[in-house]
Amino acid sequence: MSQHQRPSENNMMTAVCIDTPGGPESMLLRNVPRPLPEHGEVLIRVHATALNRADTLQRKGLYPAPPGESEVLGLEAAGTVASVGPGVRQCWRLGDRVMTLLSGGGYAEYVAVPEELIMSIPTHLTVYQAAAIPEAWLTAFQLLHFVAQVKEGEIVLVHAGASGVGTAAVQLVRLAGAIPIVTAGSSEKLQMAETLGAAAGFNYKHEDFAEKVSDFTAGRGANVILDCIGGSNWERNVACLATDGRWVLYGLMGGKTVTGDILGKLLSKRGQLLCSLLRSRSLQYKADLVRAFSERALPHFSDPTSSPCHLRPVIDSMFSLDQVADAHRHMEANRNTGKIVINVMNPQ
């Protein structure tokens, strides 16, 4: 990675920039103007951010930032309040520890955020743990409650159960009183998911997960499937979907092309195919999501001795900002269990 000297000017910051889409080596550290908080925004001094699959797609030029949003990578951040823009209604104070969902800009020393997307960091969590929460946990919460409307006692199949979203989903399914089962590609990843509360796990590399789901459910199938794989899984997904089940598609890691009788087989089960993205949602939608998550899930990140349904972010590894290319390679090799965190600066 090419690295430029950090600026001394108060109005500049270091950020990860991309001139030409490509591999991890296309990311550059550069001095860029520090954002100014606009009406209703809070400026956050970023201490840590975390990787998401969308970051690797944007780096390749396949998933551009929404119009008007920062071109800098990064969909979440944790840090401290640096300044408050005009019209902010909540009583944020300088130095408050916060975490936030972003549409971009997390791979930088500062980011300006609408106050509706900001959450206070639970007292016993570090900023690095907090950086692993916003995108993955809000995505999982959205898929389960806003999209699938999961019900107590239902069986929820979570693909990539040891990923950031997967580890969050397993815990949130348990919190909702439903039963999580997972797929993953190694025994270590399956063991992690089961430690977090998965009732069963299936290695998709060595066994037919559709058969295993059918066995586990005595032939009834999964009521909800959270699917970030897409095309390569469609036949097995439909095969193990329960009658009136909800198949929630939120990624296409296994391709976007489908051939065969998908509609006929889905119709025969009265199944629903529900598709969802979070980044392109409106500010109001995201604000409603943050509010619901803050009320229903965030309190369970408290001290584990005080919460019977304790939630915890799972961190795989940590890289410094100038190692961001290595962090992307680590994710693209599917080596991570949980979130990959980027240490942007040391908290003071």
Side-chain angles (χ1 to χ4, degrees):
M1 163 173 292
S2 299
Q3 182 173 359
H4 296 263
Q5 185 176 358
R6 290 180 178 268
S8 58
E9 299 89 343
N10 290 333
N11 63 341
M12 300 294 286
M13 68 174 184
T14 300
V16 176
C17 300
I18 300 172
D19 292 336
T20 304
E25 70 283 352
S26 65
M27 295 182 290
L28 310 170
L29 285 186
R30 182 168 293 152
N31 296 340
V32 299
R34 183 186 302 181
L36 296 174
E38 298 181 355
H39 189 275
E41 290 187 336
V42 173
L43 183 67
I44 296 174
R45 184 186 187 197
V46 178
H47 295 167
T49 185
L51 266 64
N52 293 279
R53 288 282 173 181
D55 300 343
T56 65
L57 295 175
Q58 183 175 341
R59 189 202 73 222
K60 297 173 183 176
L62 302 176
Y63 190 39
E69 300 293 346
S70 173
E71 295 291 335
V72 174
L73 301 182
L75 300 179
E76 56 198 332
T80 53
V81 172
S83 65
V84 176
V88 170
R89 292 168 294 179
Q90 298 184 54
C91 296
W92 297 110
R93 296 174 299 179
L94 299 186
D96 280 350
R97 298 192 329 142
V98 294
M99 56 187 180
T100 185
L101 182 70
L102 301 170
S103 293
Y107 290 20
E109 291 180 314
Y110 291 87
V111 64
V113 188
E115 64 169 331
E116 296 95 333
L117 305 185
I118 297 173
M119 298 169 280
S120 295
I121 297 176
T123 54
H124 81 287
L125 293 184
T126 68
V127 289
Y128 307 112
Q129 291 173 308
I133 293 176
E135 175 69 16
W137 284 81
L138 286 167
T139 293
F141 187 90
Q142 175 213 16
L143 298 175
L144 289 168
H145 295 288
F146 282 35
V147 181
Q149 298 182 357
V150 67
K151 300 177 181 64
E152 185 175 355
E154 290 190 317
I155 303 293
V156 180
L157 173 61
V158 180
H159 288 308
S163 65
V165 173
T167 55
V170 167
Q171 297 177 70
L172 289 172
V173 169
R174 282 294 185 190
L175 183 64
I179 302 168
I181 57 178
V182 305
T183 66
S186 71
S187 57
E188 293 80 11
K189 291 184 176 183
L190 291 174
Q191 183 177 5
M192 168 58 75
E194 291 174 6
T195 299
L196 295 172
F202 316 117
N203 189 325
Y204 66 86
K205 294 181 179 179
H206 302 304
E207 52 193 352
D208 185 337
F209 70 78
E211 292 182 359
K212 294 296 183 178
V213 171
S214 180
D215 292 343
F216 180 84
T217 61
R220 292 185 297 273
N223 305 104
V224 175
I225 299 176
L226 301 189
D227 181 22
C228 58
I229 307 301
S232 62
N233 268 2
W234 83 261
E235 288 185 285
R236 285 172 291 176
N237 278 335
V238 175
C240 68
L241 186 68
T243 299
D244 296 315
R246 289 93 74 203
W247 170 16
V248 181
L249 180 67
Y250 70 100
L252 296 170
M253 291 172 57
K256 57 186 177 181
T257 301
V258 172
T259 58
D261 187 22
I262 181 172
L263 295 180
K265 292 182 178 181
L266 196 58
L267 180 61
S268 69
K269 291 194 170 185
R270 301 194 301 269
Q272 300 178 54
L273 175 57
L274 305 168
C275 302
S276 185
L277 295 172
L278 180 54
R279 188 182 192 184
S280 57
R281 298 279 189 174
S282 68
L283 175 58
Q284 185 60 59
Y285 181 97
K286 293 177 181 177
D288 292 342
L289 177 61
V290 168
R291 186 180 309 110
F293 178 82
S294 298
E295 293 172 354
R296 298 165 60 182
L298 196 56
H300 295 281
F301 286 92
S302 60
D303 188 332
T305 62
S306 65
S307 174
C309 298
H310 178 61
L311 304 177
R312 66 180 180 94
V314 177
I315 295 178
D316 170 82
S317 52
M318 187 179 302
F319 294 81
S320 63
L321 192 61
D322 59 5
Q323 296 173 319
V324 67
D326 292 332
H328 274 234
R329 294 185 185 101
H330 187 68
M331 171 171 276
E332 291 181 307
N334 293 321
R335 290 196 292 262
N336 61 298
T337 298
K339 294 287 285 186
I340 301 169
V341 173
I342 302 295
N343 181 0
V344 177
M345 62 174 66
N346 293 322
Q348 296 181 351

